[in-house]
Amino acid sequence: MSKTKEWRVPNFTFSTKPPQSVRADVLVLPIFEGLEPGPGVRPVRGVDLVALYEAAGNKGKRGEYLIVPNAGLDGVEASAILLLGVGKRDDAGPDACRRAIGKVARQLSKRARVATTLPQIAGRAFDEAVQATVEGVLLGAYRFDRYKSNSNDDTPKLREVAILGGARADARSARTAINRGQVIAESQMWARDLVNTPALDLPPAELAREAQKMARQVGLKAKIWSEAELKRGGFGGILGVGQGSVRPPRMIELRYENGSGAPIALTGKGIAFDSGGLSIKPADGMEWMKSDMGGAASILGAMRAIALLEPRLNVIAAIPSSENMPSGSAIRPGDVLTHRGGKTSEVLNTDAEGRLVLADALAYLAEQGPRAIIDTATLTGACMVALGDEVWGAMGNDRQLIRDVLAAGEAVGEPGWELPLYEPYRKLIDSEIADIKNIGKRYGGAITAAFFLREFVGDIPWVHLDIAGPAFSDRVGDYWPKGATGVPVRTLVRYVLLQAGTRRR
Ligand code: BES
Ligand code: ZN
Ligand code: MN
């Protein structure tokens, strides 16, 4: 079975034509909560659209929609109008666009030609809203049906989406925003595919092959570290975690070179499957742990988007991938591992494996002298307990970097929140016999995990994103089905694009 699918992506166009004169199967027009008509609604004559919408029991809440067939709509070329609730007028920004259109994306993909004025609700944030609308259309229609034997039944028919701007809109910047939205959404969908793919079909070597294939397609340099090379390089954490599995570990190294100066360094936790190892997890919910490479997938998705969007800077990624399994060859509680660079860790719980593989990758990246290091990881249940399933945790050693990444996340609708690296907690990972141990006590588990990682970055500005909550969803969201979300691809790409042109502090 092929592991990457090429999505059938519609063609997005931009135009400043009046909405009525656009030929389409459906014209999507926004309406605010409180039944205030959005851009394009009022000019339609022949029928009171708002009254129809209200009569069907709608209030304009985000995603509430009504399809009005064009039977006598004066001067309207489209075959139907879809009135789309977008929520409160005060919240009418890019995220409202992404969510509102995301909620009807499946409806839209039943038609061939769609047009919409939706981004006009965002006023001065028009370009950002165009990007978010494109993302919402694509991400909202995403399904993972590769393992359904009759998945052809509802193949998307959508071929063209016309984004309509007001008469004064800048077509060039709108088209740039369309392209950015398309690249980012496709990259995030690819990350979702990787995470949703069962671990059976995505061992470390296969993840590496997928990364290599992507790198070839978008023009990134790639080097896959084999088990033997990891041994020679002293990557004891990646090897130790992986030694209980018959499927050997890898490290995926990607380079994007398009500028001068120190690179931004990225890494992500790539545990193909986390059974817990000998400290085995309970059976209940263990199937979720195919998503324990969500950090790795987000970095791969971000690298894909970066390569296609071509910001003027350098980025290096080193992604560790092991499978955490219990067996006669697995590491035991009490074992000591030697990481890249020589630091040792005492493994008191084999289920705290993410930090063990990330330690090696962080040490390797720190050697490269980057301007900043960002890691993403489905690292701790504790972070989920603290922040719930939609907000990632941020911990790091550099105020500015933490602020920049949090701001990037907020801007793209992938919110994070900082947890403190409260220095007195550092001693919780002191070990009796090694440099550090891989667990603290139960309380503050997200923080002790981050302290463990901090040991390996030296004095390089670094931020760790614990995405255990938002990487995988047990319920349908506005623009994601159950399963992988691809968070935080959009955050990473936004951060990197903003850094292009920003010099090292
Ligand atoms: N991959 C898990 C964390 C996780 C749990 C992610 C649930 C998503 C959903 C991680 O490897 C893990 O097992 N962490 C342990 C650490 C503990 C043993 C110190 C945890 O959080 O319980
Ligand atoms: Zn894990
Ligand atoms: Mn674990």
Side-chain angles (χ1 to χ4, degrees):
M1 184 166 304
S2 155
K3 305 302 184 305
T4 47
K5 120 177 146 195
E6 298 302 326
W7 307 273
R8 286 192 42 183
V9 176
N11 185 35
F12 289 89
T13 61
F14 178 76
S15 135
T16 53
K17 277 194 208 156
Q20 294 108 296
S21 67
V22 175
R23 281 173 198 277
D25 298 310
V26 61
L27 172 64
V28 179
L29 300 177
I31 180 161
F32 300 104
E33 202 169 317
L35 299 171
E36 184 194 335
V41 174
R42 246 192 280 266
V44 176
R45 285 173 315 268
V47 66
D48 186 343
L49 287 176
V50 176
L52 275 181
Y53 183 77
E54 184 177 22
N58 300 305
K59 296 187 171 63
K61 285 199 169 35
R62 185 175 296 158
E64 279 181 359
Y65 72 93
L66 178 72
I67 298 175
V68 182
N70 187 352
L73 298 177
D74 266 1
V76 174
E77 294 285 338
S79 310
I81 289 180
L82 187 151
L83 285 164
L84 178 60
V86 294
K88 296 199 171 67
R89 200 181 210 319
D90 288 349
D91 303 334
D95 197 51
C97 294
R98 192 186 292 109
R99 288 177 182 273
I101 200 112
K103 281 190 131 184
V104 295
R106 290 242 97 188
Q107 278 297 322
L108 300 181
S109 53
K110 291 180 193 158
R111 276 117 180 137
R113 286 182 310 168
V114 170
T116 185
T117 61
L118 177 63
Q120 294 183 36
I121 66 167
R124 291 187 336 139
F126 179 70
D127 288 345
E128 299 265 359
V130 168
Q131 181 183 331
T133 298
V134 172
E135 291 168 358
V137 168
L138 295 173
L139 294 172
Y142 171 87
R143 289 298 180 275
F144 185 71
D145 51 14
R146 191 181 301 162
Y147 291 83
K148 297 269 193 194
S149 51
N150 55 354
S151 66
N152 288 338
D153 296 355
D154 54 1
T155 326
K157 297 186 180 56
L158 192 54
R159 278 190 292 109
E160 189 177 324
V161 179
I163 306 275
L164 308 178
R168 291 188 313 277
D170 176 354
R172 246 193 79 191
S173 66
R175 292 195 178 105
T176 306
I178 284 175
N179 179 55
R180 197 181 297 142
Q182 191 170 335
V183 165
I184 290 171
E186 283 179 45
S187 300
Q188 191 151 30
M189 294 195 293
W190 179 56
R192 287 179 179 180
D193 277 356
L194 292 173
V195 175
N196 283 327
T197 300
L200 173 66
D201 289 339
L202 205 63
E206 193 60 33
L207 182 68
R209 261 192 293 278
E210 287 297 322
Q212 205 162 25
K213 191 163 89 192
M214 177 277 287
R216 253 198 313 275
Q217 284 167 356
V218 303
L220 290 168
K221 287 188 185 163
K223 172 188 161 61
I224 306 303
W225 292 65
S226 69
E227 192 175 25
E229 287 168 319
L230 290 169
K231 238 169 232 154
R232 282 197 292 278
F235 293 78
I238 299 174
L239 292 164
V241 171
Q243 76 182 46
S245 172
V246 293
R247 311 194 295 181
R250 294 286 186 272
M251 188 169 76
I252 302 160
E253 181 173 342
L254 300 174
R255 283 174 195 268
Y256 168 76
E257 291 166 353
N258 190 24
S260 55
I264 294 171
L266 304 176
T267 183
K269 172 177 173 181
I271 299 297
F273 186 76
D274 181 13
S275 70
L278 287 178
S279 314
I280 197 162
K281 287 182 181 298
D284 225 23
M286 199 198 271
E287 71 276 12
W288 276 43
M289 285 300 123
K290 70 172 183 181
S291 71
D292 216 18
M293 32 60 75
S298 73
I299 300 302
L300 290 172
M303 290 301 284
R304 178 188 184 278
I306 291 162
L308 292 170
L309 296 173
E310 304 184 341
R312 305 276 319 166
L313 42 58
N314 300 319
V315 186
I316 172 173
I319 299 164
S321 183
S322 306
E323 182 166 56
N324 190 22
M325 298 293 269
S327 78
S329 63
I331 51 167
R332 294 143 289 253
D335 283 352
V336 172
L337 301 176
T338 303
H339 295 278
R340 171 82 178 189
K343 282 215 168 102
T344 59
S345 69
E346 185 185 9
V347 180
L348 291 181
N349 188 319
T350 65
D351 197 10
E353 83 296 342
R355 63 202 77 182
L356 299 173
V357 302
L358 283 169
D360 289 349
L362 289 168
Y364 176 73
L365 287 172
E367 291 165 21
Q368 318 288 314
R371 59 196 262 181
I373 304 179
I374 304 175
D375 78 73
T376 60
T378 49
L379 205 60
T380 68
C383 196
M384 282 179 91
V385 171
L387 299 176
D389 62 3
E390 286 196 41
V391 180
W392 39 267
M395 289 148 274
N397 61 7
D398 186 89
R399 302 255 30 101
Q400 186 66 43
L401 178 60
I402 296 169
R403 260 202 299 274
D404 288 348
V405 171
L406 287 171
E410 189 172 335
V412 298
E414 293 179 334
W417 200 260
E418 186 178 1
L419 299 176
L421 286 186
Y422 178 62
E423 217 50 56
Y425 292 173
R426 164 60 185 81
K427 62 176 177 296
L428 296 174
I429 58 167
D430 284 344
S431 162
E432 295 290 332
I433 67 164
D435 294 335
I436 43 175
K437 59 183 182 185
N438 79 331
I439 50 168
K441 54 179 186 191
R442 192 152 72 89
Y443 299 135
I447 295 171
T448 43
F451 269 123
F452 186 99
L453 301 180
R454 192 183 68 173
E455 293 296 306
F456 298 89
V457 298
D459 55 8
I460 313 271
W462 153 80
V463 63
H464 154 63
L465 312 189
D466 192 328
I467 58 167
F472 203 79
S473 181
D474 63 354
R475 62 197 160 74
V476 175
D478 288 348
Y479 51 87
W480 64 89
K482 281 187 193 182
T485 62
V487 171
V489 166
R490 296 198 305 275
T491 303
L492 294 163
V493 176
R494 169 129 185 143
Y495 171 80
V496 169
L497 294 186
L498 284 177
Q499 287 301 305
T502 308
R503 290 222 257 116
R504 196 202 157 105
R505 291 181 296 279

